[in-house]
């Protein structure tokens, strides 16, 4: 009898704690929702954002061209990085100490140096190797003409994200790794603007210099990146759902 009464009291105490915790969570949720609404209202009424300019530039031809270049860069770099990651993973798992050592060194170097630094190094590779010969007699490649900003960007991003792919592939869900790599690639393409490439951010920066609408144009870039990343994640979710239902 005593044990039954104690059990009932414990159950009521647990239920009371759950109710109290639920009430506290709802209060916190309400406060956060009010703060968010207040922030959104302030943004909508903030004249410095120039919402008219934001709307006007969302579908500006230059901005759309930058979006298209960003998409193409993402696809090219993503495919190259995935291939590099697969090769590096195979080398690590081959059991050959030389191949494994090379793969580990690649992941260590290109996975440690910041992507921006790698892009700058590749864009200036002609200062180190002005004439690329690969040690083959009669082969002379002019690096100044060959390594354009776009090629430097593709090489730098592919090698950097390839190291990320090599670390993400072993022992995990490949579809999840694929999605993470796609989103990461899309985000890091914004760095190519430092090479004067007219991707989405590059176009926005060029427009800023002409009309000085810094905040509205940055908002335009942010909106487009939200759209692109959301679309990429949505595509991966659909692929995952298709795999489960299939």
């Amino acid at each position: 009898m005593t044990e039954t009464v104690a059990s009932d009291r414990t159950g009521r105490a647990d239920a009371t704690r759950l109710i109290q915790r639920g009430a506290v969570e709802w209060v916190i949720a309400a406060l956060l929702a009010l703060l968010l609404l207040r922030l959104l209202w302030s943004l909508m009424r903030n004249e410095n954002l120039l919402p008219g300019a934001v709307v006007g530039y969302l579908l500006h031809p230059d901005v759309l061209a930058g979006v298209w270049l960003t998409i193409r860069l993402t696809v090219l770099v993503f495919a190259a990085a995935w291939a590099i990651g697969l090769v590096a993973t195979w080398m690590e798992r081959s059991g050959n100490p030389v191949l494994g050592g090379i793969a580990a060194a690649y992941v260590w170097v290109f996975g440690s140096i910041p992507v921006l630094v790698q892009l700058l190094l590749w864009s200036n590779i002609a200062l180190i190797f002005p004439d690329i010969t690969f040690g083959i007699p009669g082969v002379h490649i002019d690096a100044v003409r060959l390594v354009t900003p776009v090629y430097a960007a593709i090489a730098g991003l592919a090698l950097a994200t390839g190291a990320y792919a090599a670390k993400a592939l072993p022992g995990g869900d490949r579809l999840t790794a694929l999605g993470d790599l796609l989103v990461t690639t899309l985000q890091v393409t914004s760095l190519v603007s430092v090479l004067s490439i007219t991707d989405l951010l590059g176009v926005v920066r060029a427009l800023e210099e002409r009309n000085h609408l810094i905040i509205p144009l940055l908002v335009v870039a942010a909106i487009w990146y939200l759209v692109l990343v959301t679309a990429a994640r949505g595509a991966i979710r659909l692929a995952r759902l298709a795999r489960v239902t299939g």
Side-chain angles (χ1 to χ4, degrees), residues 138-225:
V139 175
H140 298 282
I141 301 175
D142 187 352
V144 176
R145 294 184 179 181
L146 176 65
V147 186
T148 64
V150 172
Y151 289 154
I154 293 173
L157 292 179
L159 288 168
T161 51
Y164 169 81
K167 290 188 290 185
L169 279 172
D173 180 8
R174 287 207 169 183
L175 191 56
T176 299
L178 192 77
D180 292 341
L181 179 64
L182 179 60
V183 171
T184 299
T185 303
L186 178 55
Q187 291 172 333
V188 298
T189 56
S190 62
L191 296 175
V192 305
S193 61
V194 301
L195 304 183
S196 300
I197 295 175
T198 52
D199 69 317
L200 173 56
L201 186 57
V203 166
V204 164
R205 293 180 63 186
L207 290 172
E208 287 175 1
E209 293 179 0
R210 295 207 300 263
N211 54 34
H212 306 292
L213 296 173
I214 297 174
I215 297 300
L217 285 167
L218 286 176
V219 171
V220 168
I223 291 173
W224 270 113
Y225 280 117

Side-chain angles (χ1 to χ4, degrees), residues 22-36:
V24 171
E25 290 174 352
W26 275 108
V27 170
I28 294 174
L31 290 174
L32 289 176
L34 288 174
L35 288 173
L36 180 59

Side-chain angles (χ1 to χ4, degrees), residues 124-148:
N124 291 286
I125 196 68
L127 298 176
I128 306 173
F129 302 107
D131 187 27
I132 302 174
T133 65
F134 299 107
I136 303 174
V139 175
H140 298 282
I141 301 175
D142 187 352
V144 176
R145 294 184 179 181
L146 176 65
V147 186
T148 64

Side-chain angles (χ1 to χ4, degrees), residues 8-93:
D8 291 341
R9 290 177 178 176
T10 302
R12 287 196 295 269
D14 291 340
T16 301
R17 282 195 295 269
L18 286 174
I19 294 173
Q20 291 174 343
R21 188 177 68 180
V24 171
E25 290 174 352
W26 275 108
V27 170
I28 294 174
L31 290 174
L32 289 176
L34 288 174
L35 288 173
L36 180 59
L37 289 174
R38 176 59 181 170
L39 175 61
L40 292 175
W41 180 250
S42 299
L43 290 174
M44 292 174 61
R45 294 178 59 86
N46 193 317
E47 296 180 357
N48 295 322
L49 284 177
L50 300 175
V54 173
V55 174
Y57 275 101
L58 270 175
L59 299 178
H60 189 281
D62 290 346
V63 172
L64 292 179
V67 171
W68 176 232
L69 180 55
T70 294
I71 293 172
R72 285 183 291 164
L73 281 173
T74 300
V75 172
L76 287 172
V77 172
F78 170 76
W82 187 254
I84 292 171
L86 288 175
V87 171
T89 301
W90 168 77
M91 291 171 65
E92 286 183 331
R93 293 178 172 180

